[in-house]
Amino acid sequence: MSEKTIENYGKAFLVLILPISFLIVFLVNTWKILLVILLLLMVFNLWQQYRWEKWCNQVNPLFYQLIQENQGKITPMDLAIKGNFSGQVAKRYLDGKAKEFGASVLDSETEDQSYYFITASILGDILDSSESVEKLPAQPVTKVARSFLAPPPSIPQEEKTEPESKSELESESLPEPTHEEVKKPLEEQLVFGSLIQSELAKRLNVYSSTVYKRRNDPDFAEWSRSRDPDGIAWSYSRRSKEFFPVEK
């Protein structure tokens, strides 16, 4: 190794050692002040966390009330309006609750971010609405379903005769469904004039949970019409917890 190379290494070492030396001297002289600043930051963070948890405990009853009223669905706007605070604070609160309870978060282009919390009662409703229709007793197709899907064929003018009794009039106006009509998939499902959640999900070719999340949306009818093979729009009844076809 030449003398010039050794000299270059020495200069490089001096360039590194000088800043390190100044840093060590600075820490030795100011370590007490730095320690106090660090302790103050820790105390401030703990105080902020304590205030946030205390505020969350005050908001919790309002949050649980909205969950029950909206069947598990809540948005930051709902919470902000109900609690009279900013949307940013509401979103931070809901993000924490979503992590705590494992809620589902749905982003939509047409509305605010939605959070879905599943309670025991809501889960029971989902299971009840997902029961197979095969377990229910078979009944004939109702007038409403038959008139909506398969209106009875008109009787030719030359074949019309005056009915002798009221029973004959009813038999002529309501002919018995043919074997082909009973075999139609939608008529089989509309035995009671409506569909349950699992049946509608199969018809729309989506998951049952997707129908559950969208059933109360304002655009549910148009969304279901776009996915229905026959272009039929559907509406949800909270009272019966079933889905009914919407007449055009």
Side-chain angles (χ1 to χ4, degrees):
M1 185 178 292
S2 62
E3 183 178 348
K4 187 174 182 180
T5 304
I6 296 175
E7 184 178 355
N8 291 334
Y9 276 111
K11 292 180 179 179
F13 180 75
L14 289 176
V15 171
L16 293 175
I17 198 67
L18 287 177
I20 295 175
S21 300
F22 283 120
L23 180 61
I24 293 175
V25 172
F26 175 78
L27 291 176
V28 168
N29 293 329
T30 61
W31 70 271
K32 294 182 179 180
I33 299 175
L34 295 176
L35 183 60
V36 171
I37 293 174
L38 181 62
L39 290 175
L40 289 176
L41 290 176
M42 293 177 61
V43 171
F44 178 75
N45 288 334
L46 291 175
W47 171 247
Q48 288 288 88
Q49 184 177 357
Y50 168 77
R51 290 184 58 190
W52 174 255
E53 291 179 354
K54 184 178 180 180
W55 181 85
C56 290
N57 290 332
Q58 296 175 353
V59 178
N60 282 340
L62 182 63
F63 165 74
Y64 297 135
Q65 180 183 354
L66 287 175
I67 290 297
Q68 293 295 329
E69 293 177 355
N70 299 335
Q71 295 184 334
K73 178 182 177 181
I74 187 172
T75 65
M77 183 177 293
D78 295 334
L79 186 61
I81 293 175
K82 194 75 172 179
N84 194 24
F85 42 77
S86 67
Q88 185 176 3
V89 173
K91 188 177 185 306
R92 179 186 173 188
Y93 174 87
L94 290 177
D95 287 338
K97 288 297 180 182
K99 292 180 180 178
E100 180 180 353
F101 296 111
S104 300
V105 183
L106 179 63
D107 294 322
S108 176
E109 297 179 357
T110 59
E111 61 179 15
D112 199 2
Q113 192 177 41
S114 302
Y115 297 77
Y116 291 88
F117 296 84
I118 305 299
T119 64
S121 59
I122 296 173
L123 183 59
D125 292 342
I126 295 176
L127 295 176
D128 291 341
S129 62
S130 299
E131 289 181 356
S132 175
V133 73
E134 296 177 355
K135 296 181 180 180
L136 300 174
Q139 296 183 6
V141 181
T142 60
K143 285 185 180 180
V144 177
R146 182 158 47 203
S147 61
F148 178 75
L149 296 168
S154 59
I155 302 175
Q157 185 68 25
E158 59 274 12
E159 295 181 4
K160 288 186 178 180
T161 59
E162 183 178 358
E164 297 180 357
S165 63
K166 183 178 179 181
S167 60
E168 290 184 13
L169 178 60
E170 291 177 351
S171 62
E172 290 182 3
S173 61
L174 291 176
E176 291 297 326
T178 63
H179 186 66
E180 293 180 356
E181 289 177 347
V182 177
K183 281 189 173 182
K184 291 183 179 180
L186 184 55
E187 288 190 31
E188 288 184 355
Q189 293 175 336
L190 281 175
V191 168
F192 307 101
S194 63
L195 297 182
I196 60 176
Q197 180 174 298
S198 60
E199 293 172 342
L200 182 61
K202 292 178 181 179
R203 179 171 178 81
L204 302 182
N205 196 23
V206 296
Y207 291 108
S208 180
S209 59
T210 303
V211 176
Y212 172 77
K213 291 178 181 179
R214 289 184 172 271
R215 62 184 182 178
N216 293 318
D217 292 349
D219 61 342
F220 178 77
E222 290 301 323
W223 175 80
S224 60
R225 187 197 303 273
S226 64
R227 291 183 171 272
D228 190 274
D230 296 328
I232 298 175
W234 298 85
S235 64
Y236 174 68
S237 172
R238 290 190 177 184
R239 184 175 180 180
S240 63
K241 299 178 182 178
E242 293 176 334
F243 298 85
F244 295 86
V246 179
E247 295 186 5
K248 297 182 180 179

